Structure formats: C-alpha cells, structure tokens
Amino acid sequence: MADVGQHEAEPNQADAYEARHVHDVYDRIASHFSSTRYKPWPIVEHFLKALPDGSVGLDIGCGNGKYLGVNPRIFIVASDRSENLVKIASQNGQRNAFIADTLSLPHRNSSLDFAISIAVIHHLSTTVRRVQAIKSIILTLRCTSKPPWPSSDSTIDGGKALIFVWALEQRDSRRGWDEGDEQDVMVPWVMKGNHSGGVQKAQTFSRYYHLYRQGELERDIKEAGGFVIESGYEKDNWWAIAVSPRSEML
C-alpha cells in the first residue's frame, strides 16, 4: 500500500513510486496485458460514436489502442506512459500514438473537442497528482460558452472528457472491496510463461491503484476546474463526463 501522506509531501518520491509500481510494471506486462484488452466498454463506445463527425480529441492512457478505431469519423491522438504499449498500438496500425505523461500533456489548451481517460487516473498515488492529471485533461478541451447545468448533452458547445476510474465499491466483484476498505492498494497481475518467446514460470507483478469512493471523482474534477455534466457507475468503475467552463462561469 502506498504511503500517501509521505508522497503528498515529497512529489519526487511519488514519481519514483509510480515508476516502480505502475510504469515499469506495464512495460513488463504489455504484451500479456494487451492480449486481454480487446473489447470496448459500452459507455466509452457510446461516447465516441455520439461525437460529431470530424471531431478531434485524445485517448490519454491508450494502452494497446483498442478505442482508436471505434469511430472512423473522428480523429484520436493517442498517448500512453508505457513505451511498450505505445509500440503495440502502433503495430496495430494506429500511427497517431506516442509516449506522453498524463501530468504534462503536450497539447495546446482549449483546442480539442473531446478526450477519454479510461482506467488511468487511479494509478496516480496522491490526491494532488490525480487532480493535476484531471486538470491537464480539462485544459485541452474547448471551453463551453454557456452554463451546462442541468442541460442535455446535445446543447454542450465545448469539448467533453470522459474519465473512468476503479471504484472502491466492488462488493459483488471477485475482488470484493467495499466502503470501509483501504483505498490505496496493490493489485497483482499474474503472467504465465514468457509472452516474448521461450518458457518461464508464472510471474506476479503488483500495480498501485487508488480506489475511488462514490463522489470522489466528481470532487476531483471540480477541484481541477472542470464541471461534471453526467456521471455514474458501471462494472466496478466510477465514470464522469466533464466540460471546461469559462472562468467567468465558475
């Protein structure tokens, strides 16, 4: 379990912790991980297919790039912190994938129609870093020019971001976490054999996760300067759609 309080005081230590327990792990399990990630999640698929033709946006933490071909009428710029996952996405024909850090995205502010960040933010080990990551996403979106509350999704004239994070409330899942359990956990990934050729014994890698409790994602989005227009729970995940309001609307 992460020493969150210590990381809050020492950002460099959080960098090192995440490098060891997130980035290095995904680089090592990339091939095996990719082989288990092929079916789009329904809410993400619906979000992408509902975007207007010609929309341009981001897939932040794209993994093997499984969402990049969901809607051929939009253009997605994909990035991931894992070099090996980006290579896999590129090998799958997704040439617009590159390495980038969620905490410092290399995109112009207020320029994009949409963004998705699916099961990424929960790998940041402090509240400050999670809010910073969400803020970096929100900043890339075109600002909405009118209040979105409460309003139908079709009236939003700015960019929108869909964010998914693992939930603490997973009572009915095989993991069994629920309210009252630790939120900062290490989750094992078991890789049987060597997926690059040859034979090895099974290996277990531990990945850091912050399990979001109900309402926490919405709170972090608000802290990051965004506004939530829709949110919910699906299959052990909390999700939210956020917009970037103009400063005078806050």
Side-chain angles (χ1 to χ4, degrees):
M1 181 177 64
D3 187 346
V4 177
Q6 186 179 32
H7 290 339
E8 295 284 6
E10 301 181 33
N12 290 340
Q13 208 163 26
D15 280 333
Y17 185 87
E18 291 160 16
R20 178 181 178 185
H21 295 293
V22 181
H23 309 317
D24 290 351
V25 173
Y26 276 102
D27 267 339
R28 296 180 71 180
I29 69 173
S31 179
H32 187 213
F33 179 81
S34 176
S35 70
T36 69
R37 299 298 189 270
Y38 50 86
K39 186 176 181 181
W41 293 359
I43 289 176
V44 185
E45 183 175 24
H46 174 77
F47 176 84
L48 293 173
K49 288 185 174 179
L51 292 166
D53 291 359
S55 295
V56 178
L58 308 174
D59 183 351
I60 301 156
C62 66
N64 65 358
K66 72 176 182 180
Y67 289 112
L68 303 186
V70 166
N71 183 353
R73 296 182 300 278
I74 63 174
F75 185 81
I76 302 178
V77 178
S79 63
D80 200 285
R81 181 64 172 71
S82 167
E83 179 180 0
N84 288 337
L85 284 173
V86 168
K87 286 179 180 178
I88 291 171
S90 299
Q91 290 167 0
N92 290 337
Q94 307 300 342
R95 297 178 181 175
N96 49 322
F98 64 97
I99 300 169
D101 192 327
T102 307
L103 291 169
S104 55
L105 295 172
H107 308 291
R108 190 176 64 186
N109 288 352
S110 306
S111 62
L112 297 167
D113 302 311
F114 69 92
I116 60 173
S117 175
I118 312 304
V120 175
I121 302 297
H122 54 222
H123 285 309
L124 281 299
S125 60
T126 71
T127 301
V128 170
R129 290 166 73 82
R130 290 188 289 273
V131 171
Q132 182 184 344
I134 293 171
K135 183 176 182 178
S136 71
I137 297 169
I138 297 294
L139 285 173
T140 68
L141 301 175
R142 290 188 298 104
C143 296
T144 184
S145 63
K146 51 189 173 183
W149 50 85
S151 177
S152 68
D153 189 62
S154 61
T155 65
I156 302 300
D157 63 344
K160 299 179 291 184
L162 172 62
I163 300 172
F164 265 76
V165 292
W166 273 23
L168 173 63
E169 298 85 351
Q170 298 191 30
R171 180 186 306 173
D172 298 326
S173 77
R174 58 184 172 81
R175 303 180 188 96
W177 296 311
D178 204 359
E179 186 70 29
D181 289 334
E182 293 284 354
Q183 286 185 261
D184 297 283
V185 300
M186 302 302 291
V187 179
W189 181 276
V190 179
M191 189 165 66
K192 297 180 180 179
N194 187 335
H195 290 259
S196 298
V199 177
Q200 286 185 348
K201 293 181 180 179
Q203 293 179 282
T204 300
F205 302 89
S206 294
R207 299 165 294 160
Y208 168 81
Y209 282 78
H210 175 78
L211 305 177
Y212 270 74
R213 65 174 70 249
Q214 185 174 9
E216 187 176 359
L217 177 58
E218 291 89 337
R219 184 202 69 193
D220 283 357
I221 290 172
K222 182 179 180 181
E223 182 69 19
F227 186 88
V228 176
I229 59 172
E230 189 176 356
S231 62
Y233 180 91
E234 184 193 47
K235 294 182 179 179
D236 307 330
N237 291 269
W238 293 111
W239 61 270
I241 297 176
V243 297
S244 179
R246 296 190 186 281
S247 58
E248 65 268 21
M249 295 165 53
L250 297 175

